[in-house]
Amino acid sequence: MAEPDYGLSARAVARTSDDEPRYIRITDFGDDGIEPGHEFVTAEKIEDGNELYPDDILFARSGSVGRTYIHEELSQPAVFAGYCIRFRFDQSQVSPRFVYWWTKTEAYSKWVAAIQRTAAQPNINKEEYKGSLIPLPPIAEQNRLVAAMDEARAERRAKLAEANALLAGMDDFLLDALGIAPPAEGTRRVFAVRGQATIDRFDPHFHSPDFSRIEEMLSQAHCEPLGNIATLSGETWKPQDHEQPTFRYIEISTVSPQTGEAYWNDVPTAEAPSRARMQIRGDDIIVSLTRPHHGSIAHLGPEFDGCIASTGFAVMRNVAEQVSREYLWCVLRAKFCLQQMLQRASGGNYPAITERELEKILIPITDAATQDYIAAEVRQRQDAARQLRGQAEAGWAAAKGWFEAALLT
C-alpha cells in the first residue's frame, strides 16, 4: 500500500467548465459514496499532488472522522480537500473496492470510535489509519465479495431512483391540477432592467428572466402573497424557564428536503444552542430560511407540540380558512415556490431569505376540492417514495451485515 497523503487546500470558486476539477469534500459523500446527480463545487488546482485517480480512497482525518470515499466518477478531473488522507493500493494484492466496503462495516466503525481523539474536533492521523487492521482474504475472494456488494448497491440506487422519480413528477402534476401551463425554457443570460424595476431590489440576480417566467406563469391563476393567507408565529422559548433536563429540538438538518418529513433530537437543556428559540405547536408549518430553495419545509403533526425549533425556521401558525394547511405545504415545496424563495434570498454560499421577503411569494388559490385532491395525491406519492426508500436502506443494511459476517466468520 502506498504512502497516504493529505490533499492540498483548493480555492473553491463558482465554475461551470468541464475543464475545472471537481473539489471533493467530506460533506459530498455519505454512507454510499456520492449519490448520482450530486452537485459539486469546482476548484482551482493549486499544484500537482492533490489530484484523484481511479480507485483512490479518501479517509476523513477530522470532523466526520472515518468517513470514506472511493473515486469512481471519471468524467471530470477531481482534487480533494486538505482534511482528507488519500490511500492508493497495490491492486495485485488488494482490491481498493474491498477496502472501501470494509469501511462500511460495524467493525470498522467501532475501530474509528475507539481510536479517534475527542478534542475540540475529533481527528485520526495518517499513522493511525496506516495501523488499522483489515481482514484480507485472497484476491479472488475479495473480488467475489466486492461483486456482491456492488450488486446490492445497484439495487439500492435503483429503488432510490424510483422514489426520486415519484417525487420529481410532483411539479408537473401540481401545475396540471391547477390548470397552469409551465413556462417555456429560457436561454437568455444577458438582460436589461429598467430603472423603475430596481426600486425594491437592485441586485441583478433578483431580476433574472428565469424568475420573470415564473411570475408570468403564475399570472394564469389567482394568486395571493403568502403574507395574506398565513401569519408567522413569534412565540419564543427560553431554556432557563424549561424545568425538564432535556428538550426536543428541530434543526434544519432534521427536515428532509426530499420528503418534507421532520424529526427531533433530544438535547440537554443545559446545552441548548443559541438558535433553539422557536416554540412549536401541533399543525405548524416550518420553512427553512437558510437555503430555502432546498425545500426543508415540514407540516408538523400533533406529536411535535412542545418542540423547539431553530431560529433558522419561519413558523406558520395561523392560515386563512380558504386554504388547507396540507395544500399550502404541498405548494410551498413546489419548484415554482422554491424558485421564488431563491429569487428573494440574498447571500453567496448560504443564501437566506427574510421573513418579510418570504411573505411576498405568490401562492395559487384554488377551490377546496382541488386542494384536497392535490394534497391526497402528494401524500400518496410521498408514502410510496418513503416505502421504496425504506426497502432500499433495509436491503443495504442487510448487504453490509452479510459482507462483515463473511469476513469475520
Side-chain angles (χ1 to χ4, degrees):
M1 183 169 64
E3 181 76 6
D5 56 67
Y6 302 107
L8 304 175
S9 296
R11 295 187 295 274
V13 292
R15 306 266 180 161
T16 56
S17 169
D18 288 342
D19 294 333
E20 296 294 338
R22 290 171 171 171
Y23 186 41
I24 307 297
R25 305 163 296 174
I26 290 175
T27 52
D28 289 323
F29 49 92
D31 184 55
D32 183 22
I34 296 177
E35 296 290 349
H38 177 78
E39 294 183 5
F40 291 89
V41 170
T42 55
E44 293 178 332
K45 184 178 176 183
I46 295 178
E47 59 182 85
D48 291 337
N50 66 331
E51 64 273 10
L52 284 168
Y53 292 101
D55 293 328
D56 282 355
I57 297 183
L58 299 181
F59 287 75
R61 64 184 176 94
S62 62
S64 300
V65 291
R67 191 177 292 184
T68 57
Y69 162 74
I70 185 167
H71 189 53
E72 303 171 293
E73 177 51 64
L74 309 178
S75 62
Q76 188 174 336
V79 296
F80 63 99
Y83 40 82
C84 295
I85 304 173
R86 174 180 57 193
F87 279 86
R88 287 179 181 155
F89 299 86
D90 176 359
Q91 296 193 30
S92 66
Q93 301 181 52
V94 182
S95 164
R97 299 186 67 75
F98 171 81
V99 176
Y100 178 66
W101 292 132
W102 166 253
T103 66
K104 306 305 175 185
T105 63
E106 284 294 322
Y108 172 79
S109 297
K110 290 177 180 179
W111 175 82
V112 169
I115 202 70
Q116 68 178 344
R117 286 175 297 281
T118 55
Q121 190 175 47
N123 63 92
I124 298 176
N125 64 39
K126 71 172 184 179
E127 295 301 325
E128 289 165 332
Y129 273 123
K130 288 170 65 178
S132 175
L133 297 177
I134 300 176
L136 199 63
I139 190 69
E141 178 64 7
Q142 293 178 45
N143 291 335
R144 185 186 73 84
L145 295 172
V146 164
M149 289 298 289
D150 287 347
E151 182 179 354
R153 178 205 229 180
E155 291 177 358
R156 173 183 181 269
R157 290 193 166 181
K159 287 187 179 295
L160 293 179
E162 188 178 350
N164 291 339
L166 279 172
L167 301 179
M170 213 90 78
D171 289 291
D172 292 337
F173 158 75
L174 190 57
L175 291 177
D176 184 65
L178 292 170
I180 299 175
E185 292 291 330
T187 58
R188 289 181 57 193
R189 289 295 174 264
V190 178
F191 58 93
V193 180
R194 295 184 180 275
Q196 185 69 21
T198 62
I199 292 177
D200 293 330
R201 294 285 294 259
F202 192 70
D203 47 315
H205 164 83
F206 180 85
H207 301 281
S208 166
D210 293 337
F211 300 134
S212 299
R213 281 191 291 274
I214 292 175
E215 187 174 349
E216 293 172 8
M217 178 190 76
L218 292 177
S219 67
Q220 303 172 51
H222 170 61
C223 295
E224 291 286 345
L226 179 61
N228 287 3
I229 59 176
T231 57
L232 303 182
S233 170
E235 185 181 7
T236 57
W237 171 85
K238 295 180 180 179
Q240 56 268 34
D241 297 335
H242 190 69
E243 298 179 354
Q244 302 300 319
T246 63
F247 68 98
R248 297 177 297 159
Y249 183 41
I250 306 170
E251 50 190 326
I252 293 174
S253 62
T254 61
V255 177
S256 168
Q258 289 78 25
T259 64
E261 295 175 299
Y263 65 90
W264 66 75
N265 288 319
D266 290 311
V267 176
T269 306
E271 300 174 11
S274 61
R275 292 174 67 87
R277 291 294 181 270
M278 304 303 295
Q279 181 70 57
I280 295 299
R281 303 299 177 190
D283 222 19
D284 283 348
I285 298 174
I286 57 175
V287 179
S288 170
L289 298 173
T290 302
R291 292 179 172 174
H293 57 291
H294 283 189
S296 297
I297 302 170
H299 180 200
L300 303 176
E303 68 274 16
F304 286 88
D305 190 83
C307 284
I308 307 301
S310 165
T311 53
F313 288 107
V315 180
M316 295 180 198
R317 181 156 302 162
N318 300 314
V319 178
E321 290 184 2
Q322 71 268 29
V323 179
S324 156
R325 287 176 183 266
E326 195 77 348
Y327 167 76
L328 179 58
W329 170 76
C330 296
V331 171
L332 285 170
R333 286 179 41 80
K335 185 177 180 179
F336 61 81
C337 275
L338 299 181
Q339 287 297 299
Q340 290 185 76
M341 295 180 199
L342 178 61
Q343 177 188 21
R344 296 187 172 279
S346 57
N349 292 334
Y350 294 92
I353 189 172
T354 64
E355 291 187 348
R356 181 178 177 183
E357 289 294 317
L358 179 66
E359 290 175 332
K360 294 178 182 178
I361 71 167
L362 298 176
I363 304 295
I365 306 299
T366 186
D367 60 90
T370 303
Q371 292 183 39
D372 291 343
Y373 166 65
I374 289 173
E377 177 66 19
V378 169
R379 279 298 184 189
Q380 182 179 351
R381 294 192 186 198
Q382 294 276 19
D383 290 343
R386 186 185 308 111
Q387 185 176 15
L388 285 167
R389 289 178 182 277
Q391 292 172 357
E393 299 308 330
W396 184 233
K400 291 190 292 184
W402 169 85
F403 178 86
E404 184 168 8
L407 288 176
L408 300 184
T409 57

